[in-house]
C-alpha cells in the first residue's frame, strides 16, 4: 500500500505542477476574480474526473486511436475559446486586482468553466488511460482500500498544488497593474499554445 500512496503523492504533485489548461484557468481566474471565487476551481478536477476515470479505465481502451484524437481536437477548440476570452480581456484593458474592474463571474460560472476545461481537455483522459488508470486497477485488484489509498494520495497532493496556485496568484493581484496585465497576456499565450497542441 505504501508504494501506491507514494505513487499517488508523486503523480499528484506532478499533475499539479505541470502547466496545463486547468492550471492556466486557475491562475487567470484568481488574477481576475480573487481567491474567494476561484477556490472552487480547485475542486473541479475532483468532480469532472469521475466520468473520466470510468471512461478511461473501462471504456476508452475499447475505442480506436481516432476516437481519442477527436476528443483531443474538441478539447483543443475549447481551450482556444478560453484563450480568446483571455485575449479579449487583455485587449479591453481589463485591470486586474482590487483596484480594477473585472468581468464578474459567479461561483457557478467559474465551476462550470473548470468542469468544461477538464472534461474537454485530452490531458485527464490520456493521464488516466496511460498512467493513473493502470495503477488504480492494480490497487483495486489488491483491495478496495489500496485503490482508495492511491486516489486519496493522488487527489490530496494534486488539489493541494492547485490550492497553492490560488493562494500565490491571489497575492500577485496586489502588485502593480502592469505586471498583472503582463501575466494575463502570458496566460493567454499559454492557453493558445495548449489549444493548438
Amino acid at each position: 500500500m505504501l508504494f501506491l500512496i507514494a505513487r499517488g503523492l508523486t503523480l499528484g504533485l506532478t499533475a499539479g505542477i505541470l502547466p496545463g489548461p486547468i492550471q492556466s484557468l486557475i491562475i487567470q481566474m484568481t488574477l481576475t476574480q480573487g481567491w474567494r471565487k476561484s477556490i472552487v476551481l480547485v475542486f473541479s478536477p475532483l468532480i469532472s474526473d469521475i466520468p473520466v476515470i470510468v471512461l478511461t479505465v473501462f471504456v476508452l481502451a475499447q475505442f480506436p486511436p481516432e476516437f481519442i484524437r477527436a476528443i483531443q481536437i474538441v478539447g483543443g477548440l475549447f481551450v482556444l475559446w478560453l484563450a480568446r476570452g483571455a485575449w479579449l480581456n487583455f485587449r479591453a484593458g481589463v485591470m486586474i486586482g482590487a483596484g480594477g474592474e473585472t468581468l464578474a463571474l459567479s461561483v457557478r460560472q467559474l465551476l462550470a468553466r473548470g468542469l468544461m476545461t477538464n472534461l474537454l481537455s485530452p490531458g485527464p483522459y490520456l493521464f488516466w488511460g496511460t498512467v493513473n488508470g493502470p495503477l488504480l486497477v492494480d490497487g483495486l485488484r489488491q483491495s478496495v482500500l489500496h485503490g482508495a489509498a492511491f486516489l486519496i494520495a493522488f487527489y490530496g497532493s494534486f488539489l493541494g498544488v492547485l490550492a497553492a496556485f490560488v493562494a500565490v496568484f491571489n497575492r500577485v493581484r496586489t502588485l502593480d497593474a502592469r505586471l498583472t496585465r503582463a501575466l494575463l497576456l502570458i496566460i493567454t499565450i499559454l492557453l493558445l499554445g495548449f489549444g493548438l497542441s
Side-chain angles (χ1 to χ4, degrees):
M1 183 181 298
L2 289 177
F3 170 78
L4 286 169
I5 291 171
R7 279 300 195 119
L9 289 171
T10 304
L11 289 170
L13 287 172
T14 303
I17 292 170
L18 286 176
I22 193 67
Q23 288 85 346
S24 297
L25 182 66
I26 285 172
I27 293 167
Q28 176 193 3
M29 290 298 115
T30 301
L31 287 172
T32 59
Q33 305 293 316
W35 76 269
R36 284 184 177 90
K37 285 186 177 180
S38 299
I39 196 70
V40 73
L41 290 171
V42 170
F43 300 101
S44 62
L46 185 62
I47 298 166
S48 63
D49 277 4
I50 294 169
V52 172
I53 293 168
V54 171
L55 277 173
T56 56
V57 173
F58 300 110
V59 177
L60 276 184
Q62 309 302 317
F63 286 98
E66 294 79 23
F67 182 75
I68 294 173
R69 193 72 177 138
I71 291 172
Q72 289 176 318
I73 291 170
V74 171
L77 291 173
F78 179 72
V79 172
L80 287 174
W81 179 78
L82 291 174
R84 178 185 174 274
W87 172 250
L88 291 175
N89 280 339
F90 179 80
R91 278 194 47 203
V94 171
M95 297 300 289
I96 296 169
E101 290 184 29
T102 60
L103 304 174
L105 296 172
S106 70
V107 172
R108 177 184 279 169
Q109 289 171 316
L110 284 172
L111 182 59
R113 280 191 183 192
L115 293 173
M116 292 302 293
T117 298
N118 232 27
L119 286 171
L120 294 176
S121 174
Y125 296 93
L126 296 173
F127 196 64
W128 279 99
T130 59
V131 179
N132 272 8
L135 286 169
L136 177 59
V137 170
D138 183 48
L140 290 172
R141 284 185 182 145
Q142 295 176 53
S143 76
V144 172
L145 186 61
H146 281 78
F150 172 75
L151 286 174
I152 291 168
F154 174 77
Y155 281 107
S157 59
F158 180 47
L159 301 182
V161 169
L162 297 182
F165 277 133
V166 171
V168 167
F169 283 94
N170 188 63
R171 297 293 291 164
V172 170
R173 293 179 81 223
T174 61
L175 298 176
D176 183 87
R178 289 174 296 180
L179 177 61
T180 55
R181 283 209 58 211
L183 285 172
L184 185 58
L185 180 60
I186 291 168
I187 295 300
T188 302
I189 294 167
L190 286 173
L191 286 170
L192 180 65
F194 292 133
L196 292 174
S197 69

